Amino acid sequence: MATTADIRNGLVINFNNDLFQVIEFQHVKPGKGAAFVRTKIKSLTSGKVLDNTFNSGVAIYPVRVERRSFQYLYKDETGYNFMDNETFDQISISDKLLTAADLLKEGQVVEVLINTENETPLTCELPSFVELVVTYAEPGIKGDTANNPRKAVEVETGARIMVPMFIEEGDKLRIDTRTYDYVERVK
């Protein structure tokens, strides 16, 4: 058991019979009244984000979790299959636990948050940036350079990304997995 003084970004807590991860927090001490902690927490089971206020000094119940590296193998009807890089054990993770699943490439290493009490996966996080090859791109219109025009391309995983007009088929791109934004061309 801990108190609100132990709240930090990334902490996983048991709250209202569900597991939540702290995304943001702010300790507030108003001029009048008791101090409190304003938080933004995300449910690890449903993905719902809540704003919650804890009174200062209230007990919270942290859950012990570990980040482990897993390698993506393949997708089947049960979900996405990963292999632990240290023990070579395989696990299957459902679609709802993955963010940006359409940017996931076979052989890619990801971080999986594991609940150590029952060894169940909670979330799967891709690296911040991935490098993917463009498999389909319509040709850009010559002379159309006003107002930073963009076009949709398809990358090797099947995801559609908005990129500048000069990108062509076969180009290798660095893509931000958090926002699906084009970052740069890679040689």
Side-chain angles (χ1 to χ4, degrees), residues 143-151 163-165:
D144 188 8
T145 58
N147 299 328
N148 194 16
R150 296 192 161 295
K151 66 180 180 179
V163 298
M165 298 297 276

Side-chain angles (χ1 to χ4, degrees), residues 46-58:
S46 67
K48 186 188 278 188
V49 177
L50 302 174
D51 290 324
N52 191 51
T53 302
F54 294 98
N55 290 331
S56 188
V58 170

Side-chain angles (χ1 to χ4, degrees), residues 54-133:
F54 294 98
N55 290 331
S56 188
V58 170
I60 59 170
Y61 302 95
V63 177
R64 187 163 173 258
V65 294
E66 289 181 355
R67 287 187 178 277
R68 297 184 191 160
S69 290
F70 280 80
Q71 182 178 13
Y72 173 59
L73 299 175
Y74 58 92
K75 181 183 186 227
D76 60 11
E77 62 277 349
T78 61
Y80 292 84
N81 294 284
F82 295 88
M83 177 182 67
D84 189 333
N85 288 339
E86 295 175 8
T87 64
F88 303 110
D89 292 337
Q90 291 187 16
I91 62 170
S92 182
I93 297 179
S94 68
D95 297 353
K96 66 180 183 177
L97 295 181
L98 271 109
T99 55
D102 55 347
L103 294 177
L104 197 56
K105 186 167 82 169
E106 287 184 12
Q108 188 170 16
V109 177
V110 297
E111 292 284 318
V112 177
L113 206 60
I114 303 282
N115 184 348
T116 57
E117 294 173 7
N118 52 13
E119 292 295 318
T120 57
L122 300 174
T123 61
C124 178
E125 299 171 359
L126 273 70
S128 298
F129 301 99
V130 293
E131 294 178 0
L132 300 170
V133 176

Side-chain angles (χ1 to χ4, degrees), residues 168-180:
E168 298 174 358
E169 282 184 32
D171 287 349
K172 192 173 193 178
L173 308 178
R174 179 167 288 132
I175 300 166
D176 189 335
T177 59
R178 299 162 294 196
T179 60
Y180 279 72

